Every structure is written in C-alpha cells, then in structure tokens.
Amino acid sequence: MDAIMLQEKLVERLLCPRVRTARQKEKQYVGFATLPNQVHRKSVKKGFDFTLMVAGESGMGKSTLVNSLFLTDLYKDRKLLNAEERINQTVEIIKHTVDIEEKGVKLKLTIVDTPGFGDAVNNNECWKPITDYIDQQFEQYFRDESGLNRKNIQDNRVHCCLYFIPPFGHGLRPVDVEFMKALHEKVNIIPLIAKADCLTPNEIKKLKDRIREEIDKFGIKVYQFPECDSDEDEEFKQLDKELKECTPFAVIGSNTVVEARGQRVRGRLYPWGIVEVENQSHCDFVKLRNMLIRSHMHDLKDVTCDVHYENYRAQCIQEMTSKLAQDNRMESPIPILPLSTPDVETEKLIKLKDEELKRMQEMLNKMQQQMHDKEQ
Amino acid sequence: MREETAGELETDSLSPMEDGEEKERGIMGLQDDSKCQPGQAALMDSQNSIPETGENGVVVGTEMEEKGMEEGDLKKEMGMEMELEVEAEVKVELCQSGHGLQVSFIRGTDLFGYVGIEAVLDQMRRKTMKAGLEFNIMVVGQSGLGKSTLVNTLFKSKVSRKSCTSNYEEKISKTVKLHSVSHVIEEKGVRMKLTVIDTPGFGDQINNENCWEPIVKHVNEQYEKYLREELHINRKRKIPDSRVHCCIYFLPPTGHRLRQIDVEFMKRLGKIVSIVPVIAKADTLTIEERQEFKERIRQDLAANGIRVYPQKEYDEDPEDSILNDRIRESIPFAVVGTDKEHQVNGHKVLGRKTKWGIIEVENVEHCEFANLRDLLIRSHLQDLKDVTHNIHYETYRVRRLNESNVSFSELGLAPWPLENGTDDRGQSESHL
C-alpha cells in the first residue's frame, strides 16, 4: 500500500503539472513512464566514466586538445624529451585520470596517452603496445565478468580513440593506414586533422575529401555516427547530416585565453589574426566536443560494449574451444580463462562454458528485443 | 675619391648599401672643391668610355662584385646617380692628395696617373654575366611540407617538380628517388641555370631507416663527376657543375624538438653539403612558440655536433663573422610559402588567406621567408658555391685521392698525376 502511495507521489512530483489536475485519469495511470527519470537519477548518483585514448605523432597538439576539450590542465609538468633521450624510447602508455563534475553530474575521465608513437626512424609495429593495451583491458573485463563476484567491476575498456592525422601531408600516410587498420576492430576510431590552423579553407576541404576517400579505399572502419531516428525533428536531422559530412574534424586546440572581438576566448594569437578555438568558422572543435561529450558519449560506450568487446570475447572463446578440440584433453589448462585454483577441473570448466553460452544467448535475445522495439 | 674607393676595396667594413651612400655624400661634399684640369679631359673620356656599369660596380661595393650576380636594382639606381658625378669624381681625385684613410697600400694618387685596377672588377662582372651562373639546390623533407611551393616562391617562377611534371601525383613513393629539374632564369641580363633536386619519399614510410642513403650517394656522385672532369688531361674550360650547393632541410612545425630522423639526416649530410634547415608551414606556430622551438632546435643541433650553414669555422674575416652570427642566431628560418596573391591594403601581396587573416609571405613580421631568400640569393649565393667548391669538394677530393693512392687499380680512378704527367697518360685515358 505504502509503495503505491509513494509511487503516486513520485508521479506527481516528476511529471508535468497538468497531470496533477486530471485526477480521474490517475486511476488508469500506471506510472512507469517515470522510469527514464529514475534511471537518470540513479546514474547521476553513480556517476559516469569514460576512457579516451589519444594517439598520433608527437607535436600534433594532442595534449593541448585534451586540455581544451575538458577545460583542464592535465599536462602541467610535462618535460619534453630531446632527440637523444628519444632514441631508445618505445611507445609507452600513460593514463591520466581526472574527476570532473558539472551541475551535479560526475564524470570520471581517463585519458590514455601514447607518447613515442611514430617518433622513431623505424616505426614498424609501433602500434603494437597500443593494441596490446586495449586487449589487456578487454581481457581484464572478461575475467571480471566471468568471475564469481561481479559487484564492483571496474570498466577500463577504451571507449574511444582520437587519432591525429598531420595536416602537412596530402592524405593518409602509410603509418596512419596501418595504425587504423590494426585498431579499427578493437576500438572506436575518430580520425582528426590536427593543427588545422595551417590550412586554408580550400585546403581543409581537399584534405578531408582525400582522407575520406582513402579511408574507404583501405577499408578502415572508423566510428560511424548512428542514424537519426525517423521521428526526430528536421533541425536535429540537419545537424546530424552536417556532422557526418564534416568528418574527419579539423581541430585546433589552445591552452591560452586571448582577447578577441571584445571577449575573452580560448585561442591562438598570431601577427596576422586571432584563431578562436570555439568559432565554428575557424575549426571543427565545437563539433568534436559536442559529438564526443554532449551527444555521442553514451553511444560510444555502447558500441564499445556491444560490438568491440563482444568481438573480442567471441574470438577469445572460439580460440579456447578450438584449442580444446585440438588437444582433445580436457585437463589442459586454459591460459585465458581465469580460475581460482591452479589445477583445472573439467566439470567446473564445462559448467562455466554453459554459463557463458547462456549469457550469450540472453545478450542476443536482448539485442533482438531492442531492434524490435526500435522498429516499432 | 680614388683613395676612398681603394679604401673600400680593402676594408669592406660597410655593407653595400651604406657603402654607396657614403660615396654619394663624399662626392656631393667634394664637388664644390673641384678644380678642373683640362689636361685630364682626355683621361676622363677614356674613363667614360667604360660603360656606366663600371663606375656603378666600383662604387657600390666590391664584395658584391666578387660574389657575382645579385639583384641589379641597387646597382642600377646608384649607376644613374653616379653617371652624373663621374666628371666631378675624377677631377677631385687628381686635385687632392694626402687626404684619405690611413691604409697601408699604394694609394691611387701615388701612382703616376690612373692605372685602372678596379676595372678588373668590371671585366669580371661582364664575363660572369655572359657566362651565366649555375646553382644547384636540393630540397629534403617529408611529403606535404611545402617544398615545391617554397622553391617556386623563392625564385618567383614555376621551377619545382610539381609544376613541371605533367602527371604529378601526390602519392607517397616507396623509396627515396631523386628528381632533378633544371631551368634557366634570367633577370636584368644575368642568366642563372637553376637546378632543383627534389627527394620525394624521404621520411614518408613506416620504416625510414637509411632513407638518407640515396641522398648521400647522389651528393657524392656529383663530387665524383666533377673530380673526374678535373682530372682529365684535356679538360673543359668550364666544368659543368652539378654539385649540390645547398640543401634545404624542411622541419615539420611540431613545436617540440628535433626528431630522430632529423638528427640522423643532418649529422650525415652536414659533413658533405651545406645544410640550411627551415621550419616549414610556420603559420601554425605563434611567435613565442616559434622562438622556443628555434631555441630547442639550436640546442639539439649543438648537442649533436651538427654544423649547418653558415658554418662558424669557415668565416673568413671579422665582419663575415658578425654578419653570419646574426644569421646563426635566427636559423632555422620559419617560412611560409605560397604562389597565390591577395589584396592587402590596396597592394597585391603573396599570401595565404584564412578565415582569421591573411598571412603575408614577404612580411618579416609574419614569417621569415624574406630572410631566407636574402640569405640564399641576395647575399650568400656565391658564398654557398664557394664553400661547396673550396671546402666540401676539397674534402671529398682529398679523401678520394688518398683512397686511390692506396688501391687505385681497384677504383679505376687515375692516380694523382705525377710531375711529368706522361707515365699515366695511357692509364688515365683508358679509365676516364
């Protein structure tokens, strides 16, 4: 009885006022329309997390862009290595975590940096540390998910990778193509044209066309924006279309605030003019920020979970099963699957397998249901 | 006036512009004191028979004479003014004596009459103009850094590979190929055969190890060619010079430091050719970033023992040192190149138009293109050739000939010619 009363009170508070007056309707009103709001409140309390990876040669303005995107200064005490120190440097993976709060919503942002990428004379397989890192995160999540205690799973999977293409070339270079091909099935890649203030508007357009052509030519699967629902309004659809035509985004970042047109804006001061980072006619920074944070953050996470992670998982399980079939011995220890005791028992293995299969089945059903709902 | 002229020949303390101005002032001042001697009229006439460029050349600054062709603007201007002063000049000179700078050489007035030594400069000048000059420049850098555009802008004509090959494709080639394009450019009667050697494919691959080797090989091959020509018994009067006089190395404007590939390349090539590093596409760096970047690059260069042009050890005299020090303080030059013109304040300027302004290429407040051009063409062109000939080529030659002394039969190179030169004639002819 009390629960129903509570529910009704909630309904009153959260729904719009006009419902309150129609007391007769209440009798037929169930009230699960408040579900999104409940989810919203819970998520706000729990907070979001997002892992972003930035990759590209040094000097492309990655750190500056990250600072501009999230209005933080993550790289305050960075020391630049000179050429000698860089000779023996391999690609490292460095994580910076920062908690940002805005209007009561908490975001735990993790930036994964990749210094040393593409800097050596011989850059063969310089992306290997990066792919290994991404796989490691997937593996860790896989273990956690398959483990017995799943209360506090930490999600360190990389949700998005911003790849910085130098504006100096005539399109994609061999190292760009190889990197993106190695990673496009593991993470959402968003290619960006870095330091776009050295290009005139014509040059930007030509470069973007060229890059899009080459991405198609080489079969690189970069992150695709999801299609608009047919019931969205025209303005939204128009914006969405513009966004899609603008890729790859030509961005400019800045750590400094300058005075332009009477306002203080983030920008770069040159003798010939002032470049404003947030001016849409100067660069696509605003579009990138809106896309990344304001509209597609959740979608990026979803695609990571539903597509990339599932691919990894399927691959993993397949390898395990094929290995088992090959060996034809049930006792062989499976390296990937985490089991608490070092000596493997076959029944446990089979039981685990069954659970996996059941879970996969559920997932499939859920996705089918979702598709079904969408169609409706 | 003659004394002063001679003085200028020796001390060269003033830059060409100041030189000329002083001359003017001198002439103006002394004109009033001139006492005409009719006996000198005949001499004057013979003087005047030398075309005005003679006076012109002498007055303006001998360093430019010796260095060969420069932009003729300055000289022509001076020439006009000097023409009118010719008579005054001669008269003044012969009337005065004992005046002038304290220099330890025979002053013109001590000679019995006018000898005409400085006419040699005029003869040199005319010969150079007739013969023309050759200049070979190599551009090295990753694809897309604006090498072709910069070369076109430097020489104000379409001389780069991009403009010449009909099916120019902006594809990244798999190996480093060298591509030479030659043009003859003429300006005010001076002809220059300019060869631009492009190096597509440098630094573009994933694995760039040894991508500098084809370039090193090419430079050495040119020296070898010249050496062989020089060692011929019957050699041509003017050996065709295909040696690389200058190598412009393009650094991407990352704003950080020199990259490993930059260090490796410049270390190896700095020993055999004059390298001029430039920061390409510098319109992406603000002024402070540019200064910091340059500072770090200079530190890296010093730390790795890389010598770029102008090299400190080849400075011949103090004022060269001063001039070159100023240049050394501002290398690498931050350049922007373009071939498009826009209207700014009513004039047409070469520039790049963006949404936030127009970057004027020839404006020294925007970028250092003008400095680079002045260095390469207007002031140090001949010096680059001299350094290549006197230092780099000689180093190569010595090394080569030492090697050949050890085992000349293997190399097929004629041994160092003996005193009489007869014994090896057969051998050299068969090999070369």
Side-chain angles (χ1 to χ4, degrees), chain B residues 38-310:
Chain B
Q40 308 308 322
L43 195 56
M44 243 166 54
D45 286 332
S46 66
Q47 275 289 65
N48 292 342
S49 66
I50 301 172
E52 59 259 24
T53 50
E55 292 297 310
N56 192 357
V58 165
V59 166
V60 172
T62 53
E63 43 183 300
M64 285 167 71
E65 288 307 322
E66 281 149 10
K67 287 184 181 199
M69 298 311 106
E70 307 298 337
E71 300 246 321
D73 282 345
L74 183 60
K75 292 206 202 89
K76 275 292 180 255
E77 227 181 307
M78 305 305 295
M80 292 309 140
E81 289 156 336
M82 288 305 108
E83 262 182 296
L84 309 166
E85 315 304 335
V86 156
E87 300 182 13
E89 199 174 325
V90 173
K91 290 175 212 158
V92 163
E93 189 265 326
L94 295 171
C95 296
Q96 297 191 340
S97 64
H99 269 271
L101 312 164
Q102 296 293 324
V103 286
S104 56
F105 53 84
I106 300 175
R107 285 172 292 184
T109 45
D110 295 347
L111 302 168
F112 299 113
Y114 169 66
V115 176
I117 299 176
E118 77 256 341
V120 165
L121 298 166
D122 172 55
Q123 295 169 30
M124 251 175 65
R125 196 165 180 281
R126 269 190 298 161
K127 279 209 160 180
T128 321
M129 272 180 76
K130 260 208 304 203
L133 66 125
E134 286 176 311
F135 190 59
N136 305 323
I137 187 170
M138 182 160 74
V139 283
V140 185
Q142 282 179 326
S143 120
L145 283 181
K147 306 186 289 288
S148 308
T149 313
L150 188 75
V151 166
N152 284 351
T153 318
L154 266 176
F155 295 101
K156 289 210 163 66
S157 33
K158 297 201 183 306
V159 290
S160 69
R161 175 179 60 111
K162 190 159 93 160
S163 331
C164 298
T165 37
S166 48
N167 57 343
Y168 176 80
E169 253 195 19
E170 292 169 348
K171 255 198 331 194
I172 292 181
S173 59
K174 291 273 179 215
T175 53
V176 180
K177 299 194 196 81
L178 278 98
H179 191 110
S180 274
V181 177
S182 288
H183 291 265
V184 175
I185 311 179
E186 173 161 352
E187 190 181 56
K188 295 202 167 72
V190 181
R191 259 180 298 124
M192 172 161 89
K193 176 163 176 266
L194 172 73
T195 306
V196 178
I197 305 157
D198 202 347
T199 56
F202 178 84
D204 287 331
Q205 299 308 313
I206 297 182
N207 183 356
N208 290 314
E209 266 169 12
N210 301 326
C211 62
W212 45 80
E213 276 177 8
I215 301 176
V216 172
K217 197 163 128 225
H218 180 264
V219 171
N220 285 335
E221 268 171 18
Q222 307 314 308
Y223 288 147
E224 183 72 24
K225 245 200 264 182
Y226 196 88
L227 182 65
R228 296 205 174 205
E229 276 299 326
E230 231 188 13
L231 292 176
H232 258 138
I233 305 265
N234 291 323
R235 59 188 181 188
K236 307 186 193 147
R237 275 182 59 118
K238 188 165 187 309
I239 305 179
D241 189 1
S242 61
R243 299 171 295 187
V244 179
H245 298 127
C246 170
C247 170
I248 304 186
Y249 186 69
F250 286 72
L251 297 163
T254 57
H256 292 185
R257 309 195 81 111
L258 281 185
R259 301 166 303 158
Q260 216 194 318
I261 189 177
D262 303 332
V263 171
E264 293 295 319
F265 177 84
M266 289 202 271
K267 247 201 236 177
R268 288 177 173 75
L269 258 83
K271 302 192 183 116
I272 54 177
V273 80
S274 300
I275 298 189
V276 177
V278 295
I279 301 176
K281 300 213 167 171
D283 50 351
T284 188
L285 296 169
T286 61
I287 303 290
E288 306 95 58
E289 288 170 357
R290 188 197 286 181
Q291 290 303 114
E292 284 172 9
F293 188 34
K294 284 199 203 186
E295 187 54 47
R296 288 195 211 115
I297 291 180
R298 284 194 288 264
Q299 280 173 10
D300 277 346
L301 288 175
N304 284 294
I306 299 173
R307 303 252 184 282
V308 296
Y309 184 82

